[in-house]
Every structure is written in structure tokens, then in C-alpha cells.
Amino acid sequence: MTSKQSHFRFLCTFVYVYFFAQAMSMSLLALWLRSTLQLSGTETGIVFSANFIAAMCSQPVYGYLSDKVGMRKHVLWAVGLMCMLSGLFLVYVYGPLLKTHILAGAALGGIYLGITFIAGSYAIESYVDRIGRAYGFEYSRVRLWGSLGFASAAFLTGRLYNVDPHINFILASCAGLLLVLMLALWRLPEHDTVAAAGAKLRLADAVALLRDPAFWRFMAFVLTVTNIYLVYDQQFPSYFASQFADKATGAAMFGYLNSLQIFVEAAGLFVSPLLVRRIGAKNGLLLAGSIMIVRIAGSGLAVGPVSISAMKMLHSFELPILVVSIFRYIAHHFDNRLASTVYMVGVSFGHSLGLALLSPLVGKAYDLIGFNHTYLLLAAIGAGCLICSAFALSPTPPEVKPAAPVGEAANASL
């Protein structure tokens, strides 16, 4: 087995297990907060806001350190160890504290969940992209295993939630333990080129991004279009469950549908690089944004389980196009030495900043005007931001890739 194949297979497995843990901890978090802990929409918004404030503070650090350490496993170790503790934290610390001291619980939980499952997921994705560029395999072909891991967990979460929500959290800890064991066994040879690039990176290089107009135009797209979609998605499980006769049925059906959607999403991650190369990264971002707006508006107009399920399935087409377009856009317009910094600040930090501001406001809107009207308002705002982004984003030409020699075709499939 070549080094390329070995690292590809390890990262596929690692990403699968990590996203399994993330789904077990986070996919029904809104339902757990509102149904089990009996928090209001406003209180749930405060909790999510705290999560993203903590993630926002950690993301620039994650990004700079990732670029600095190159391909060394420091970031993976940190995230893996935090995952391993997730079940104990959620069951014995987070839940009880939210019931008695909402602000203290939101703050402490925000630090833990923000670093582990929000900023942590972006850090792992950036690390995968770095290894993929060094060893010659496609990021999205690894990331699709993350979708499969999330889908595998999502298939179980609804049923396990109805038995006891804490089972999901304990399984997340078990997955974290597996991550730590995998890291202890994985040997990644030092890559001189990447290590040298990381060693030469200075803090001033990262700070210089703040003077780059192209960076701010890219971040504006993240702060507006993608954030509106993400804040819409936070409490969607609770709205989805309300479309059914009882919440237990709704929770189980959300788990099944979420699993199906993510399996389709995994197939999309396999083919989306072909589409994005053909239309260019900027057009890929705009296409993904358009699908987001349709899903948000459609959710506001949906009536009953069938139509709301159809809107949920649109996510499986939008996400693959978005994630591939983001990495291709960064690779085309920014210094490769700063790829992790651009991703963690421009995308991850941008998401957390926007969601920290929007989560309480949108949570309040759910309480005041209901889910349907809030979704239509978000769609209208998102459509306006998407039109502005069409002019603000830097042009990105389609990629014309020369045909690979016959002997290399098998390796290219990775």
C-alpha cells in the first residue's frame, strides 16, 4: 500500500468516526434543549449563540496554529481528546447546569461544544485539505466519509433519543475514544516541504490578510448568505418534529430522513468536484447559495411532513457544492501557506461571528412570529445578500484539467 493510499484510508476512517461523534452530540441538540430541558426559543438561541462565540474565539488560533504546525497531528489530538469527554460533559455537567443557571451553562457549554464540534470540525476539514494537497487526493472524497459517519449516527439518534437522549451522548464519547486510539497508531512521515512552509509562516503574514480586499469580499459572503442558512438550520429539528402527530414520531422521522439526506450528500461530495471545476468556484458558491434560499423559503411555505421533508433533502445537493467551492476558491485566490488561516477565519470564524449575533434574534423571532414567517423573512434577506455577492466575489475561471495518463487513472480516483 502506498503512502497516499494509507493516509487517504486513515483520514476517511478518522473523519467518519469524528462526524459520527458530532452527530450523536449535536444533531438533536435543539430538540434536547427545547423538549427535554424545556428551554424556550429565546433561551435556546442564547445557548447556540454562546456556542458560536466560543468557537469564534478559538478559530483564528486553530487556523494560525494549523498553518504553523503543518501536517503534524496536534490539532487532531486536541479534538479527539475533547470528543472522548463529550458524553460525561453533556450528561453530568451541561444539562444540569442549563436547568439551574442558564447563562453559566450556556457559557461553559459554549466553550466546550464550540471548540470540540464547531471550530473542531473546520480544523479537521482544513487538515484533510492540507494532507490531500500534499499527497494528491481530493478533499471531498475524504469529506464524504464524514457525511456517511454523520448519516450512520443520524439513523440511530431519533430512536435512541426516544429511549434516553443520554445514550447518544455516551456513544459520542465512545467514538472519541476510538479517535484517540487511531491517532496513537497512525504514523505520518514528516513532509519537508509542508513543514518548511509552516516554519516560515509569521504572524504578520496572517495579519496581512486583514488588508486584502478579496478576503473581506469572501468573508462578506460567509457572514451573510451562508450564515442565514446555518441559523435557519439550528432549530429546524424542533420545527420538523412539530409537523407530526407527536414529538416522539417526529424525532424518529427526523433521524431517518437526516440519515437518508446525508447518504445522498455523500454521493454529491463524490461528484461535486467535477461540477465545480466545470463552472468555477465563484459560480459554485452562488449556486449553493441559491439552493439555500430555495430551501429556507420552501420551509416557510411547506405544509405537512411530505413538503418539509422535500426541503430537508435539498441540503444533500447544496452542501457538497458549497464545501468544494470554498476550498477551490481559497486555493485560487489566496496564498497556500495561509490556507488554514483563510478557512478558519474567513469561513469558520465568519460563521461563528454571524451565528453568535443572529441566533438570539432568530430564536426570539420564532417565539414572536413563528417558524414559517421567520423562514420567509430569512429567505428574503438571504436573496438580497446573494445578489450582492454575485458582484462582490472575485471571478474564478473554470478549471481545465488535462487528461491523466492511463497508468495514473486509478490513483486519480482517490
Side-chain angles (χ1 to χ4, degrees), residues 171-233:
L171 287 176
S173 270
C174 294
L177 176 61
L178 181 57
L179 292 177
V180 171
L181 294 175
M182 290 171 60
L183 285 171
L185 297 173
W186 185 40
R187 295 292 180 267
L188 181 65
E190 187 70 26
H191 193 286
D192 293 337
T193 302
V194 176
K200 293 178 181 177
L201 184 65
R202 300 172 302 162
L203 182 60
D205 298 324
V207 173
L209 278 173
L210 301 178
R211 299 192 294 271
D212 185 351
F215 172 77
W216 287 107
R217 291 195 296 269
F218 174 61
M219 194 166 180
F221 172 82
V222 173
L223 284 169
T224 55
V225 179
T226 62
N227 273 339
I228 287 172
Y229 170 76
L230 289 173
V231 77
Y232 143 84
D233 218 29

Side-chain angles (χ1 to χ4, degrees), residues 52 55-56 59-60 122 215-216 218-224 226-228 230 341-358:
F52 290 109
M56 178 179 64
Q59 283 151 351
Y122 289 100
F215 172 77
W216 287 107
F218 174 61
M219 194 166 180
F221 172 82
V222 173
L223 284 169
T224 55
T226 62
N227 273 339
I228 287 172
L230 289 173
T341 301
V342 173
Y343 185 64
M344 293 300 298
V345 177
V347 179
S348 183
F349 177 87
H351 281 164
S352 296
L353 175 61
L355 291 173
L357 298 174
L358 290 173

Side-chain angles (χ1 to χ4, degrees), residues 39 43-52 54 89 94 97-98 101-113:
L39 302 186
E43 290 171 329
T44 301
I46 291 171
V47 169
F48 278 111
S49 180
N51 293 346
F52 290 109
F89 174 79
Y94 192 41
L97 192 55
L98 285 174
H101 300 89
I102 180 68
L103 294 181
L108 182 61
I111 294 171
Y112 178 83
L113 295 176

Side-chain angles (χ1 to χ4, degrees), residues 310-332:
M311 293 302 101
K312 171 66 175 168
M313 288 301 296
L314 285 178
H315 185 73
S316 57
F317 302 99
E318 164 265 317
L319 180 66
I321 298 171
L322 178 66
V323 296
V324 172
S325 298
I326 283 174
F327 279 110
R328 297 242 175 240
Y329 188 91
I330 290 172
H332 185 83

Side-chain angles (χ1 to χ4, degrees), residues 224-233 236 239 288-302 308 311-312 314-315 318 366 371-383:
T224 55
V225 179
T226 62
N227 273 339
I228 287 172
Y229 170 76
L230 289 173
V231 77
Y232 143 84
D233 218 29
F236 181 79
Y239 174 67
S290 300
I291 298 173
M292 292 176 190
I293 302 307
V294 170
R295 184 186 167 193
I296 297 172
S299 296
L301 299 172
I308 197 65
M311 293 302 101
K312 171 66 175 168
L314 285 178
H315 185 73
E318 164 265 317
Y366 291 146
F371 280 94
N372 299 76
H373 292 94
T374 302
Y375 288 160
L376 292 174
L377 178 61
L378 289 174
I381 296 171

Side-chain angles (χ1 to χ4, degrees), residues 10 38 67 83 106 122 139 148 201 209 237 261 271 282 285 317 328 351 379 396 398 406 414:
F10 171 83
Q38 297 294 308
D67 284 325
C83 280
Y122 289 100
Y139 153 80
L148 293 176
L201 184 65
L209 278 173
Q261 173 248 299
V271 301
K282 174 184 175 179
L285 293 174
F317 302 99
R328 297 242 175 240
H351 281 164
T396 313
V406 175
L414 291 178

